[in-house]
């Protein structure tokens, strides 16, 4: 009986483990792209570039709060 669980799982199904490792490696660019898109959306919203025209401000930001000058 194998005492190391990692070695046991690898010997039980090496093909499945290799496929899972390849799938995880292939998904890294997709996860990076998703995080980059979220970062860009938050940056646009925080800096104010997303609502520069003012058209979206009436629909999305009905409650306006005055922020202190020093945050």
């Amino acid at each position: 009986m194998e005492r190391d669980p990692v070695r046991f799982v690898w010997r039980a199904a090496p093909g499945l483990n290799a496929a899972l490792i390849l799938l995880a490696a292939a998904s890294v660019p997709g996860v990076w792209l998703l995080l980059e898109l979220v970062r860009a959306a938050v940056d646009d919203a925080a800096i104010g570039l997303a609502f520069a025209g003012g058209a979206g401000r009436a629909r999305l930001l009905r409650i306006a709060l005055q922020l202190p000058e020093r945050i």
Side-chain angles (χ1 to χ4, degrees), residues 8-62:
F8 173 72
V9 171
W10 180 258
R11 287 185 184 184
L16 181 61
N17 286 311
L20 290 175
I21 290 171
L22 288 175
L23 181 66
S27 67
V28 169
V31 171
W32 177 80
L33 180 64
L34 178 68
L35 290 174
E36 184 66 24
L37 290 175
V38 170
R39 186 203 57 82
V42 169
D43 282 351
D44 283 348
I47 294 172
L49 300 175
F51 304 111
R57 187 169 299 181
R59 287 179 287 147
L60 296 175
L61 300 175
R62 292 189 178 161

